[in-house]
Amino acid sequence: MQIQLNPTGVLNLLSQLEVDLLQQSSHSERYRLFRNCALAVLNVGSHTDSSSEIYNKYQDFAIRLIARERGIKIELDNPPSTAFVDGEIIIGIHEHIFSVIRDILFICQKHQEQIEEPREITHMVFDMLRNADALQVNTDPNLIVCWGGHSINETEYKYTKEVGYQLGLRGMNICTGCGPGAMKGPMKGATIGHAKQRITSNRYLGLTEPSIIAAEPPNPIVNELVILPDIEKRLEAFVRMSHGIIIFPGGAGTAEELLYLLGILLHPENAKQCLPVILTGPKESAAYFNEICAFVESILGKEALSKFEVIVDDPELVAKKLKSSMADVRLYRKEQGDAYYFNWTLKIDNEFQMPFAPTHDNMSGLNLHLEQPTQQLAANLRRAFSGIVAGNVKDEGIKAIQSHGPYILSGDTSLMKDMDKLLQAFVDQGRMKLPGSKYIPCYKIKA
């Protein structure tokens, strides 16, 4: 099957040089990145979270940019059939394809070299969000970031929808990692709340990155998609854009997000930050939150527990608390002279910004000992969980595990026991892989 698509938005106006940057080349890493991200967007609704499985299934898929004097067209060879209805591509997926072009092209043109200076990294995140028109000025705080697992049960999924519905009724907008599960549920619920309130300026913002996009393809409810270069810049975009954060039940990726957030909020310069954080789920998930809280208290201390609130089985209360806290967020930003749309005053150390490559050597070399500053420990734990996510669902990580066996994580005995207990709870609760697939751990814990 061969399909041609017309461009959307500003991509009507691409120069020949810009088209050349994305043209197919068998030796081009840029084209491979572009092709794989486009395939992930088209493969929404698939029942696998293995990037390798998706890439192997669609080896005959190709995408080409066709230059025309009046603009460009996209030509797709053998795209996934799930992206089409009666032979026509789903409009949301059509838009996402051109978001891929916009972001990959932008990275190629402006940010090819590795940057290390913290202010420059933050500027890059800002620059990409601005280029995607994701930073809305002259609007009051109302963007709620929702984190949680792609592999959750039906009860938890319905709960995320109910929370989204309650947020939508109160005029709140939703930002997630844009994939399935706890990333899709809040958006789906919010659409009903917004519709009842006749809200037409509704935002369903999805932030992703190339290595995870295939395992968590953007759901078509997302009406703003931004592809950041790596997980670290994606996480920074989340926290700088957010006015409040909800964390639903999840696995290693959700633990990574929580550790990233706590590591930042525990920095002394962020002591006065106004950023409400709520962990929530149905009553059936109470054991999950007990495990998370016990791990956080044991490893990072009681101060870390004070940075968030746990609300079980009460979607309306979650939405009410976040809605009422928006006035405090607005006042804080106003007093600091900070932007409502991008939290510049949030201090993020370089340890949380530099990309971490989850190779076997890097994973075994992580400092997982208690005798280090709390923020540093949180940063290293974040990297450990990030590596486990890579081994579970990311193409490079899966291939590394197949070639070299599981990652080896070692450190203080008590820390390793706590980490092993938490990860085993994720396995027992089916949070590491989608239901129906047998999970084989990509890691080994050594004291």
Side-chain angles (χ1 to χ4, degrees):
M1 181 170 67
Q2 195 172 75
I3 301 289
Q4 286 194 354
L5 304 177
N6 290 316
T8 60
V10 297
L11 293 176
N12 274 309
L13 299 171
L14 285 184
S15 72
Q16 186 61 57
L17 179 60
E18 289 171 324
V19 174
D20 289 345
L21 279 170
L22 292 175
Q23 290 288 28
Q24 180 172 354
S25 166
S26 59
H27 303 292
S28 169
E29 177 65 21
R30 182 184 298 123
Y31 173 74
R32 188 187 71 84
L33 181 68
F34 171 46
R35 175 204 178 267
N36 288 349
C37 287
L39 174 59
V41 164
L42 288 161
N43 197 47
V44 66
S46 66
H47 297 288
T48 178
D49 56 2
S50 169
S51 301
S52 294
E53 189 176 323
I54 292 166
Y55 297 147
N56 291 336
K57 182 178 179 181
Y58 294 101
Q59 291 183 41
D60 59 350
F61 168 75
I63 180 169
R64 286 179 291 277
L65 269 66
I66 304 172
R68 298 281 189 261
E69 284 75 8
R70 61 184 180 274
I72 63 163
K73 280 192 173 184
I74 279 186
E75 189 170 80
L76 306 174
D77 285 347
N78 304 308
S81 59
T82 51
F84 298 84
V85 176
D86 299 333
E88 297 291 328
I89 192 168
I90 295 170
I91 293 174
I93 295 177
H94 188 170
E95 292 175 351
H96 292 169
I97 287 285
F98 284 90
S99 294
V100 170
I101 297 175
R102 179 200 66 215
D103 293 336
I104 299 300
L105 183 63
F106 189 72
I107 295 169
C108 292
Q109 285 181 310
K110 294 194 67 175
H111 298 288
Q112 294 186 61
E113 296 181 4
Q114 179 70 39
I115 53 177
E116 299 184 4
E117 205 279 320
R119 290 184 66 197
E120 290 184 7
I121 293 173
T122 297
H123 170 74
M124 179 182 180
V125 173
F126 173 83
D127 205 17
M128 289 203 68
L129 294 171
R130 178 176 57 182
N131 184 64
D133 201 25
L135 301 175
Q136 296 192 354
V137 299
N138 301 321
T139 56
D140 283 335
N142 70 356
L143 186 66
I144 304 302
V145 165
C146 297
W147 286 336
H150 72 291
S151 177
I152 56 175
N153 60 46
E154 186 64 22
T155 300
E156 290 172 340
Y157 178 67
K158 288 180 178 178
Y159 184 85
T160 68
K161 284 202 297 184
E162 181 61 27
V163 171
Y165 170 68
Q166 294 293 339
L167 291 169
L169 286 176
R170 290 162 177 80
M172 312 296 279
N173 286 313
I174 308 294
C175 174
T176 78
C178 75
M183 291 167 276
K184 181 181 178 181
M187 291 183 171
K188 202 165 186 178
T191 59
I192 305 300
H194 288 151
K196 286 187 175 182
Q197 297 288 22
R198 303 298 188 265
I199 296 171
T200 57
S201 59
N202 40 335
R203 301 184 70 194
Y204 310 114
L205 176 63
L207 303 181
T208 186
E209 49 99 5
S211 67
I212 198 71
I213 193 171
E216 298 176 354
N219 67 77
I221 297 172
V222 172
N223 60 12
E224 299 177 53
L225 176 65
V226 185
I227 303 171
L228 284 302
D230 50 57
I231 182 63
E232 288 78 11
K233 293 175 185 63
R234 180 195 189 198
L235 289 169
E236 181 163 354
F238 274 128
V239 297
R240 291 206 187 271
M241 289 191 75
S242 68
H243 302 121
I245 295 177
I246 294 174
I247 301 178
F248 294 109
T254 306
E256 175 188 4
E257 290 162 339
L258 177 60
L259 288 164
Y260 175 89
L261 180 62
L262 292 177
I264 291 170
L265 295 180
L266 286 168
H267 194 289
E269 291 186 33
N270 292 325
K272 295 182 180 179
Q273 279 285 337
C274 185
L275 183 63
V277 180
I278 296 177
L279 275 60
T280 190
K283 60 180 181 294
E284 291 83 356
S285 304
Y288 169 83
F289 295 111
N290 291 337
E291 292 281 357
I292 286 287
C293 289
F295 179 79
V296 168
E297 182 176 8
S298 174
I299 305 305
L300 301 180
K302 288 187 179 296
E303 184 185 358
L305 288 180
S306 70
K307 300 300 180 181
F308 60 85
E309 180 179 1
V310 177
I311 298 176
V312 175
D313 210 36
D314 198 337
E316 188 174 351
L317 179 61
V318 171
K320 281 182 175 179
K321 287 211 168 196
L322 286 168
K323 176 64 177 180
S324 64
S325 68
M326 290 302 100
D328 296 329
V329 173
R330 186 181 188 279
L331 180 62
Y332 173 80
R333 300 279 182 95
K334 190 173 182 179
E335 288 177 343
Q336 298 298 314
D338 204 353
Y340 295 158
Y341 53 83
F342 194 83
N343 189 346
W344 290 101
T345 62
L346 192 68
K347 173 67 175 178
I348 301 180
D349 277 339
N350 198 234
E351 291 287 340
F352 292 92
Q353 292 182 310
M354 291 303 297
F356 173 72
T359 64
H360 280 70
D361 285 345
N362 287 345
M363 289 288 280
S364 62
L366 284 173
N367 179 5
L368 300 178
H369 295 84
L370 296 172
E371 294 302 318
Q372 58 181 312
T374 304
Q375 298 153 237
Q376 183 68 44
L377 177 58
N380 284 323
L381 284 169
R382 198 282 303 175
R383 293 179 178 123
F385 281 99
S386 188
I388 292 171
V389 173
N392 285 347
V393 300
K394 295 183 180 182
D395 188 39
E396 291 84 355
I398 292 170
K399 289 177 179 176
I401 298 300
Q402 290 171 345
S403 298
H404 307 293
Y407 296 126
I408 305 298
L409 295 170
S410 61
D412 285 344
T413 301
S414 60
L415 173 54
M416 291 297 98
K417 284 183 178 179
D418 287 338
M419 191 170 180
D420 193 29
K421 182 182 178 184
L422 182 66
L423 287 168
Q424 189 57 48
F426 292 164
V427 174
D428 295 342
Q429 295 166 15
R431 303 190 184 282
M432 293 297 222
K433 294 286 284 182
L434 286 174
S437 55
K438 182 181 179 181
Y439 180 65
I440 300 173
C442 66
Y443 63 90
K444 284 185 177 179
I445 303 290
K446 289 176 62 179

